[in-house]
Amino acid sequence: MRKRRIAIADHVAEALLFNRRVLFAFVVVVLLFGVLLLNLYQLQVVKYDEYSTRADGNRIKLVPLSPNRGMIFDRNGVLLAENSPVHSLELIPEQVEDLPTTVAELAKLISIDEERQQAFYKEVKQQRRFKSIALKEHLSEKEVAILAVHLHQFSGVTLEARLTRNYPYGDLFTHALGYIGKINEKEYKQLEENQQSANYAASRDIGKVGLEKFYETQLHGTVGYQEVEVNSRGRVIRTLREQPAISGDDLYLSLDLGLQLKAQEALGENRGSVVMLDPRDGAVLAFYSNPSYNPNLFVHGISGKNYRMLLNSPDRPLVNRITQGLFPPASTIKPLLGVAGLENGTVTEQTRVPDPGFYRLPKVSRPWRDHLKWGHGYVDIYTGIIKSCDTYFYDLAYKLGIDKIADFMTKAGFGRPSGIDVHEENQGNMPTREWKKIKHKQNWGPGDTINIGIGQGYWQATPLQMALTTATLINTGARITPRLARNFHNQQQDQNLLIPLEQTIEVVNPNNWAISREAMRRTAQQEGGTARGAFLGASYNPAGKTGTQQVINMAAGREYNAKAINERHRDNAMFIGYAPHDKPEVVVAVVVENAGGGGSNAAPVARQMMDHYFTPQADKPALPTLAEVALMQEQRAARMLEREQGYAAEKAAEAQRKLKQQQGQTTPATPQAPAPSSLPATPAVDQQVQNEQNAAQNRSAQTSGTAVTQNNNAVAVSPTTQQQKPAAESAPQAQSEENSIDE
């Protein structure tokens, strides 16, 4: 039987189906290749610049280079602020997996106290996490060696070597130079607002106070950068390009190291200040406030313990007494007040005033007493200044009136900023009728004017203002602008920073100014002059005026007895002077707090300063070596610590006394055996002391500074913000009954 043939498929239809499928597949492939080519075109051509930049960003990194800070020299080229190499242990928070554990492990290798660790964590919260933050600075060679061996165990931890500020003369120039410190959040925001943050990309420090802050821009320099290639782990492979940083300009001061050392030596352990300047151009030659502090403590971050000691010290070392300390200028204003009387025609060179030992206002029975009970007889302007006769100037002030006095003294330089190149300055207070009306809601009285006549009452001035107004007297009404810095030096040129004199007082008769200057010369050289004893045998031609300023009011009829009152309530000694008389080269102002009479305590300090300036060794002084200076600093620091411990012991004893008084008032007294002095204080006493310390710290935090009490018109002075806060103020009538003071 034959098999049936199977029909063959339709080849035409199958061919058409195959061709359609092949064509569809081909179109799909072409479209996909087209999309791929289009995408490649987008990547390689259209977005080439964008993706090339991204690739370079992953491969190339810009590393900012910190500029070297400009150095600071004295007028003779002695280095006062240098850049010293230091090593620091630093962490980049975002590269550290477990920050607390890492810090704890590092603390096992080297000593890192708990306070520093807490400060580090605080910085981590304030700074960007990709920025390197120092855990410990100023590492010793041993610490560097230990860390170098173990560093491979910690990711994000590095040893950095960089230059940092060092002040080789310690506390000698602190209140002039200031110091630098870490940039805080507030300062960084200010840099951003001023569009300067980019210039601080590699910098961690900024000037905080003094010249370091005032001339921050020029001292800092300009940031540089390195363009480096890195691998996937961030390790630098090679440097592609470098833009070097431009160092800050070097700053040369008008200050003289030898004079500064002499000022420190002359003041000794006394609280006070010395400022010496050139009346011809305003160059400040000496600028020393005592006690001071070591600025190097702040460069690397001062410990809380040391800062609290400085902040709470009753000696107030943080306060620059030259520009922030406020004192009634006392009798130092008498020569200038005499000029005001002569220029206004209120008195003449021949005018004589009777001095029976007191002065009375018309229709007022209460007397204002002279320091000499039996008086000086008939007194002219020469005798009034030479012997510091209060009665003469009571009468002169009353006749002039406060309006003329305030106008003249303000033009001379009182009650206004001096223009010195540090930010930390009080402008003082030259009182007026309007000021008292606003401040005290009272009218100005004749008794107020009488007090102003001897530089007391509401009048407040800084030692710098006393020196400046003396220069105004020397320059016959022309005012100088004081400058600590003389010039900046860079590769291109020297920039002079001294400012020309400004004629601020219209002079009626130049001879009126010569009369007061002659009286000042006699004060220092003539028999009976209040400063003659201090300047006996001087080889130059000195002139000056003493002053003794009351710190507390004395009741009428009560004799002043320094031994019977608290040491800090004793009179302040003052002196202003210049030399040589015929062609003045220097002006000096000295304030020695709670020392007593100006003629016996402040004038001798000025004599030492002038002796040093006018002797041959002033040009080539035999200066101590840095090793000797370091030893001196250690000894001064030890004495300061001893004083502070004494203050703390006194405070604790006072707290115990108050506590016992309180207990005696609330509970019946029971006989008890006295506790041995070696036993610790009771918990109640410890708590009382702690409460008082906390209260003191709160008051310090509120004022950010100190109160320099003067004549019941205390002013709280901030060493950083210059805020002023009035303290106790006495009524004008009470002030009018003050005792005069023997110069």
Side-chain angles (χ1 to χ4, degrees):
M1 182 177 175
R2 296 179 63 185
K3 291 183 179 180
R4 187 177 178 181
R5 295 181 65 183
I6 300 173
I8 300 175
D10 188 349
H11 294 283
V12 175
E14 289 182 357
L16 289 174
L17 178 62
F18 177 78
N19 290 337
R20 285 196 297 271
R21 289 177 176 175
V22 171
L23 180 61
F24 178 78
F26 178 76
V27 170
V28 171
V29 171
V30 171
L31 287 174
L32 291 175
F33 269 100
V35 172
L36 179 61
L37 291 173
L38 181 62
N39 194 34
L40 287 173
Y41 179 79
Q42 284 286 106
L43 294 174
Q44 299 292 336
V45 179
V46 177
K47 294 188 176 182
Y48 171 81
D49 292 335
E50 178 183 347
Y51 289 109
S52 176
T53 302
R54 288 189 183 183
D56 286 341
N58 293 330
R59 182 177 62 89
I60 299 174
K61 183 179 179 181
L62 285 179
V63 180
L65 301 176
S66 176
N68 292 333
R69 195 171 182 86
M71 294 184 289
I72 302 178
F73 302 84
D74 86 333
R75 67 189 294 112
N76 299 312
V78 179
L79 186 59
L80 305 180
E82 61 184 357
N83 300 317
S84 300
V86 295
H87 287 86
S88 60
L89 174 62
E90 302 186 3
L91 289 79
I92 302 176
E94 70 174 7
Q95 297 180 10
V96 180
E97 294 182 1
D98 189 344
L99 197 60
T101 302
T102 301
V103 171
E105 291 297 323
L106 291 170
K108 294 178 182 179
L109 299 175
I110 62 173
S111 175
I112 306 175
D113 58 51
E114 186 65 27
E115 185 177 8
R116 178 56 207 148
Q117 293 182 37
Q118 295 303 320
F120 169 76
Y121 289 128
K122 185 177 180 180
E123 284 188 63
V124 170
K125 294 178 180 179
Q126 295 175 346
Q127 301 290 343
R128 292 167 171 81
R129 293 187 64 82
F130 60 82
K131 292 191 68 174
S132 181
I133 301 174
L135 176 58
K136 185 175 183 180
E137 296 182 298
H138 211 64
L139 299 173
S140 65
E141 293 183 2
K142 182 178 179 180
E143 289 174 328
V144 171
I146 293 173
L147 290 170
V149 172
H150 295 87
L151 211 58
H152 68 280
Q153 303 173 5
F154 305 96
S155 60
V157 182
T158 59
L159 270 175
E160 299 292 337
R162 59 188 180 89
L163 295 177
T164 190
R165 209 55 150 179
N166 179 57
Y167 304 96
Y169 291 96
D171 67 356
L172 187 62
F173 289 92
T174 299
H175 290 112
L177 299 181
Y179 57 86
I180 66 171
K182 291 182 180 178
I183 302 174
N184 57 38
E185 187 176 2
K186 180 180 178 181
E187 290 164 339
Y188 189 80
K189 288 181 179 179
Q190 189 173 6
L191 290 172
E192 287 184 327
E193 291 174 1
N194 297 334
Q195 298 182 346
Q196 295 179 328
S197 58
N199 197 37
Y200 285 78
S203 301
R204 300 179 182 179
D205 300 319
I206 194 170
K208 297 289 186 178
V209 295
L211 292 169
E212 292 277 23
K213 180 178 181 180
F214 194 90
Y215 293 111
E216 168 63 29
T217 301
Q218 288 168 283
L219 287 169
H220 176 265
T222 305
V223 69
Y225 66 88
Q226 273 186 339
E227 194 176 86
V228 298
E229 184 178 358
V230 297
N231 60 17
S232 58
R233 294 187 176 183
R235 186 183 297 276
V236 176
I237 299 174
R238 60 184 175 130
T239 300
L240 302 177
R241 190 160 61 94
E242 180 176 332
Q243 175 66 46
I246 301 176
S247 299
D249 295 340
D250 291 336
L251 180 60
Y252 285 81
L253 308 183
S254 56
L255 291 173
D256 183 275
L257 174 60
L259 287 170
Q260 200 77 355
L261 286 167
K262 178 57 66 173
Q264 187 179 69
E265 176 190 336
L267 279 178
E269 299 299 319
N270 294 308
R271 297 181 298 276
S273 62
V274 176
V275 57
M276 176 183 276
L277 48 83
D278 189 332
R280 297 167 293 186
D281 56 13
V284 181
L285 306 176
F287 190 87
Y288 183 70
S289 173
N290 193 61
S292 184
Y293 59 95
N294 192 336
N296 293 306
L297 294 172
F298 287 85
V299 175
H300 306 294
I302 189 171
S303 67
K305 178 182 177 182
N306 287 334
Y307 182 68
R308 286 190 294 272
M309 183 184 72
L310 292 175
L311 183 63
N312 298 326
S313 170
D315 289 340
R316 303 304 181 192
L318 293 175
V319 174
N320 182 353
R321 285 167 159 80
I322 299 172
T323 59
Q324 292 178 297
L326 295 178
F327 306 84
S331 295
T332 61
I333 56 91
K334 289 177 179 177
L336 201 56
L337 186 61
V339 174
L342 293 168
E343 288 282 274
N344 281 278
T346 305
V347 294
T348 67
E349 187 176 0
Q350 290 76 32
T351 300
R352 302 176 71 199
V353 174
D355 174 22
F358 60 87
Y359 178 80
R360 280 196 177 98
L361 284 169
K363 300 180 181 180
V364 177
S365 60
R366 300 288 301 201
W368 278 263
R369 290 179 294 168
D370 189 76
H371 66 82
L372 200 61
K373 290 183 180 180
W374 48 87
H376 293 86
Y378 280 89
V379 180
D380 59 11
I381 189 170
Y382 290 106
T383 304
I385 295 174
I386 295 168
K387 298 189 176 182
S388 200
C389 175
D390 290 338
T391 301
Y392 181 90
F393 288 95
Y394 289 147
D395 183 72
L396 176 57
Y398 177 71
K399 291 177 180 177
L400 267 175
I402 186 59
D403 298 327
K404 291 180 180 179
I405 294 174
D407 179 67
F408 187 88
M409 294 297 179
T410 301
K411 291 177 180 177
F414 286 112
R416 56 188 286 187
S418 68
I420 193 170
D421 42 356
V422 293
H423 292 295
E424 304 76 44
E425 180 182 17
N426 272 314
Q427 68 178 23
N429 179 41
M430 185 66 242
T432 62
R433 298 179 189 275
E434 295 76 15
W435 173 85
K436 187 179 180 184
K437 191 72 174 177
I438 296 171
K439 183 69 176 177
H440 297 282
K441 306 295 188 294
Q442 295 176 357
N443 293 323
W444 189 270
D448 297 320
T449 305
I450 299 301
N451 286 330
I452 293 299
I454 60 169
Q456 297 276 158
Y458 297 115
W459 200 339
Q460 299 281 344
T462 66
L464 179 61
Q465 288 175 334
M466 299 178 201
L468 291 181
T469 52
T470 305
T472 303
L473 173 59
I474 292 171
N475 293 321
T476 316
R479 186 171 178 270
I480 60 174
T481 301
R483 277 289 183 265
L484 292 164
R486 189 179 63 189
N487 66 279
F488 270 107
H489 176 74
N490 55 36
Q491 296 178 353
Q492 286 75 34
Q493 60 182 358
D494 285 348
Q495 177 189 357
N496 184 21
L497 299 172
L498 300 178
I499 299 175
L501 275 68
E502 175 190 8
Q503 189 71 38
T504 57
I505 300 177
E506 183 179 349
V507 178
V508 176
N509 182 358
N511 186 58
N512 292 331
W513 302 77
I515 290 172
S516 279
R517 292 196 295 268
E518 173 60 20
M520 292 177 71
R521 184 194 69 80
R522 297 182 188 180
T523 301
Q525 300 183 39
Q526 182 175 293
E527 186 71 32
T530 57
R532 182 174 183 270
F535 287 93
L536 282 173
S539 60
Y540 41 90
N541 193 5
K545 181 70 188 78
T546 58
T548 307
Q549 180 257 316
Q550 286 182 249
V551 174
I552 58 173
N553 289 334
M554 300 292 293
R558 181 183 174 187
E559 294 293 334
Y560 174 80
N561 182 1
K563 295 181 180 180
I565 61 176
N566 185 291
E567 185 266 341
R568 293 182 184 272
H569 293 163
R570 297 171 188 169
D571 297 337
N572 293 326
M574 299 178 173
F575 179 82
I576 58 167
Y578 64 92
H581 170 66
D582 48 350
K583 292 183 179 180
E585 296 180 25
V586 292
V587 170
V588 63
V590 177
V591 175
V592 186
E593 295 177 23
N594 312 122
S600 56
N601 295 283
V605 174
R607 167 71 186 269
Q608 293 184 57
M609 297 297 295
M610 291 183 181
D611 282 353
H612 182 88
Y613 180 86
F614 289 107
T615 50
Q617 63 263 28
D619 295 328
K620 294 182 179 180
L623 300 176
T625 64
L626 288 178
E628 293 171 336
V629 170
L631 179 60
M632 291 165 53
Q633 294 295 320
E634 289 179 6
Q635 293 172 345
R636 289 177 59 81
R639 290 196 297 271
M640 179 179 179
L641 180 60
E642 184 179 350
R643 286 197 304 271
E644 295 303 323
Q645 290 173 343
Y647 296 147
E650 290 175 5
K651 191 173 183 180
E654 180 66 16
Q656 284 185 337
R657 185 185 65 79
K658 289 181 179 179
L659 182 61
K660 289 179 180 178
Q661 287 180 348
Q662 293 173 359
Q663 291 175 342
Q665 293 173 358
T666 57
T667 60
T670 58
Q672 294 179 351
S677 59
S678 60
L679 293 179
T682 65
V685 173
D686 287 338
Q687 185 61 44
Q688 176 76 7
V689 174
Q690 184 62 45
N691 291 340
E692 291 197 0
Q693 290 176 344
N694 292 339
Q697 291 174 14
N698 291 336
R699 290 193 298 271
S700 297
Q702 290 171 0
T703 61
S704 299
T706 182
V708 181
T709 58
Q710 311 297 343
N711 196 33
N712 280 3
N713 289 308
V715 176
V717 184
S718 164
T720 54
T721 60
Q722 299 87 54
Q723 296 174 348
Q724 298 182 16
K725 183 177 180 182
E729 293 166 339
S730 58
Q733 184 59 36
Q735 289 179 347
S736 68
E737 298 170 5
E738 293 172 355
N739 292 334
S740 285
I741 306 168
D742 187 354
E743 300 292 340

